[in-house]
C-alpha cells in the first residue's frame, strides 16, 4: 500500500500539472485565437467563402458600400505593391473583383506572403473572400510583375447587425512580407 504524499510532493505535483496545462494552452492559443477571429470577424478578420458550407448564394441588395483597397510592403521585401483601382463601389451581396499588382524590384527571386485585415473591424465578419492571392505564397522572379485578383462580396447580413449596418466604407488592407520559399528538396533523407 502506498503511503500519503508529503506536502512538498503534493505541491511539486500540482506545480508540474499546472506547468503542463499552461504549456498545452500556449500551443493551443494561436489556433484557437485564429478560429475565434475567423468566426467573429474580430480585429477585422475576413471570412473565407466555402461553397460547400454555404446554404445558398447571398441575396444581392440594392444597397451599396464603398470598398477602399490599401497595399503595403514590409521594408524587408523589395517589391512594389499597389491596387489597380484604389476604390470601388459594390452592391451588398454581389461578387466583385479587385486586382492588386506586385513587382519584384530585386535581382533575385523573392517569395512573399500577404497578411490582411478589414476596417472598420465590425465589418470584418461580413467581408467574405472567395479567392485571394493571400491564401498562398507568391513567388516573383527578378523584375517580374504580377496581377493578383481577389474575389469577394459583402454579406447582406451586415444590414441586420446594429453595429455594422450603417457602415458606408470598408477598407481591405494587405501587407506583403518576405517568406521562406516552399521547401523544395530541403527534406532530410
Amino acid at each position: 500500500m502506498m503511503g500519503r504524499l508529503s506536502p512538498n510532493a503534493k505541491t511539486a505535483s500540482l506545480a508540474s500539472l499546472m506547468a503542463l496545462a499552461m504549456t498545452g494552452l500556449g500551443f493551443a492559443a494561436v489556433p484557437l485565437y485564429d478560429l475565434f477571429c475567423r468566426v467573429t470577424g474580430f480585429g477585422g478578420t475576413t471570412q473565407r467563402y466555402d461553397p460547400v458550407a454555404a446554404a445558398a448564394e447571398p441575396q444581392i441588395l440594392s444597397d451599396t458600400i464603398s470598398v477602399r483597397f490599401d497595399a503595403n510592403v514590409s521594408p524587408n521585401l523589395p517589391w512594389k505593391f499597389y491596387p489597380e483601382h484604389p476604390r470601388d463601389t459594390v452592391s451588398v451581396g454581389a461578387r466583385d473583383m479587385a486586382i492588386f499588382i506586385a513587382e519584384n524590384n530585386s535581382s533575385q527571386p523573392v517569395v512573399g506572403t500577404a497578411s490582411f485585415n478589414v476596417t472598420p473591424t465590425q465589418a470584418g465578419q461580413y467581408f467574405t473572400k472567395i479567392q485571394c492571392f493571400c491564401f498562398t505564397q507568391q513567388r516573383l522572379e527578378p523584375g517580374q510583375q504580377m496581377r493578383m485578383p481577389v474575389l469577394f462580396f459583402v454579406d447582406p447580413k451586415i444590414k441586420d447587425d446594429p453595429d455594422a449596418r450603417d457602415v458606408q466604407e470598408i477598407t481591405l488592407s494587405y501587407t506583403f512580407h518576405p517568406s521562406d520559399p516552399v521547401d523544395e528538396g530541403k527534406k532530410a533523407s
Side-chain angles (χ1 to χ4, degrees):
M1 202 184 264
M2 281 183 61
R4 290 190 169 169
L5 292 175
S6 70
N8 287 343
K10 284 182 185 178
T11 301
S13 296
L14 184 59
S16 296
L17 193 60
M18 292 285 289
L20 187 60
M22 295 303 285
T23 301
L25 283 174
F27 281 107
V30 171
L32 289 175
Y33 181 75
D34 181 55
L35 176 65
F36 171 78
C37 290
R38 280 186 283 126
V39 169
T40 64
F42 182 75
T45 302
T46 64
Q47 300 301 305
R48 187 170 179 177
Y49 183 69
D50 180 359
V52 175
E57 289 290 315
Q59 176 188 6
I60 298 173
L61 305 180
S62 60
D63 295 350
T64 60
I65 289 183
S66 176
V67 180
R68 189 177 77 82
F69 304 104
D70 179 50
N72 304 283
V73 179
S74 164
N76 301 329
L77 188 68
W79 285 11
K80 184 176 179 183
F81 176 57
Y82 56 93
E84 190 172 66
H85 302 286
R87 186 178 306 275
D88 195 5
T89 300
V90 300
S91 294
V92 174
R95 291 180 183 207
D96 202 13
M97 180 171 67
I99 302 289
F100 285 79
I101 298 168
E103 183 176 352
N104 180 356
N105 293 324
S106 77
S107 59
Q108 301 293 320
V110 179
V111 178
T113 303
S115 59
F116 57 87
N117 72 340
V118 169
T119 54
T121 56
Q122 66 268 31
Q125 64 184 322
Y126 303 108
F127 193 93
T128 304
K129 289 191 274 184
I130 301 165
Q131 180 183 345
C132 183
F133 57 86
C134 61
F135 297 154
T136 58
Q137 294 179 339
Q138 303 298 321
R139 178 187 171 104
L140 295 178
E141 297 300 321
Q144 180 184 6
Q145 186 180 76
M146 182 185 296
R147 297 179 80 228
M148 298 181 292
V150 57
L151 299 172
F152 66 92
F153 67 91
V154 177
D155 193 318
K157 293 177 187 168
I158 194 170
K159 293 300 177 181
D160 298 329
D161 184 338
D163 294 329
R165 69 174 155 226
D166 294 328
V167 169
Q168 298 295 312
E169 181 177 82
I170 295 174
T171 300
L172 174 61
S173 181
Y174 289 100
T175 301
F176 254 106
H177 306 274
S179 67
D180 293 329
V182 178
D183 292 338
E184 296 174 16
K186 289 186 177 181
K187 296 179 182 173
S189 7

